[in-house]
Amino acid sequence: TAPPPPCKPTCRVHQSKAAYFRSEAPLSAGACGYGSLAPSFNGGYLAAGVASLFRDGVGCGACYHVQCKNPKLCRGSGTTVILTDIHKSNETDFVLSSRALVSMASKGMVRELLGQGIIDVEYRRVPCIYQSTNLSVRVEKNSKKPHYLAVTFLYQGGQTDIKIVELLKLHETRPYAMRRNYGAVWDMSSPIPDAPLYFRLWVTGGFDRRIVYSKKPLPADWKAGEIYDLGEQFNDAIDATSDPCTPCTSP
């Protein structure tokens, strides 16, 4: 039997292209489910990403540092964007909000940069930083006691992915499982317990995975459309001083 081909490490810095949206509407109505809140995230520095970044919704809320590679049109520091939508073109990895694109322009080069349409970029995933905001959930408007509950996770810090969501009643060990409906939206059907409910999250961050319990519960009298602070925030990240490529393991 022939030996398996050698695997290649996955570098965290990627070379690609980016386009931009001329309006905020596509990012506000995006596949992550953030809706009208999206333009307020990160000062409006947002992006739609290809399927490999969207990852069936797991990538919603992830932060990426994007740097334009045209030294004539762009300053060198780049910008950080939050993923709020998916785009399905094979031409670019990102479609940026116009605000994010303009923030990279060199002095006096905004019009010329916007006129490019598509630009060469390099990007890498970075931790999301929320200095004074905890991880929160918005109860979706179609939630109705006791038959249906849907929540959207907001302000997810660090370089983290939420893989499993469960609800727990105080002093009980049996969890109530939620499922990812789409994007950052998770839901469950009846019976919805009439009690404060704590979130148990299975989270991956950097190279680690762990279980995180919310410090604050979703109150028993939750209301559709309201946002609730969970009293917890993530700061997990890959060590920036380590090798820029993730090693792989051959089969």
Side-chain angles (χ1 to χ4, degrees), residues 117-204:
I118 295 177
I119 60 171
D120 291 319
V121 298
E122 63 179 29
Y123 69 90
R124 59 188 173 90
R125 189 173 177 187
V126 295
C128 295
I129 299 173
Y130 296 99
Q131 297 286 3
S132 57
T133 304
N134 288 326
L135 179 70
S136 301
V137 292
R138 179 183 62 200
V139 177
E140 293 306 295
K141 292 182 178 179
N142 56 338
S143 298
K144 187 174 182 180
K145 302 174 186 177
H147 306 294
Y148 183 72
L149 171 64
V151 299
T152 301
F153 283 90
L154 308 171
Y155 317 122
Q156 182 180 332
Q159 199 168 337
T160 57
D161 298 333
I162 296 175
K163 295 298 185 68
I164 298 174
V165 176
E166 297 170 322
L167 292 172
L168 293 168
K169 290 173 65 175
L170 191 64
H171 305 310
E172 288 192 6
T173 57
R174 182 176 69 90
Y176 298 85
M178 303 192 80
R179 67 179 183 93
R180 188 186 297 276
N181 186 309
Y182 71 96
V185 182
W186 294 72
D187 67 359
M188 63 180 292
S189 299
S190 59
I192 310 299
D194 185 18
L197 298 171
Y198 289 84
F199 285 86
R200 181 165 71 182
L201 309 175
W202 300 67
V203 178
T204 59

Side-chain angles (χ1 to χ4, degrees), residues 24 28 35-46 82 99 130 155:
E24 293 182 343
S28 298
S36 60
L37 277 180
S40 68
F41 295 161
N42 195 37
Y45 291 52
L46 311 175
I82 295 179
R99 182 172 295 186
Y130 296 99
Y155 317 122

Side-chain angles (χ1 to χ4, degrees), residues 16-19 50 87 89-95 118-119:
S16 187
K17 296 179 182 292
V50 288
H87 90 97
S89 168
N90 292 324
E91 294 184 34
T92 69
D93 277 12
F94 286 108
V95 182
I118 295 177
I119 60 171

Side-chain angles (χ1 to χ4, degrees), residues 93-112:
D93 277 12
F94 286 108
V95 182
L96 307 174
S97 64
S98 57
R99 182 172 295 186
L101 182 71
V102 166
S103 72
M104 294 191 288
S106 298
K107 186 176 181 180
M109 291 293 179
V110 170
R111 182 174 297 179
E112 288 79 357

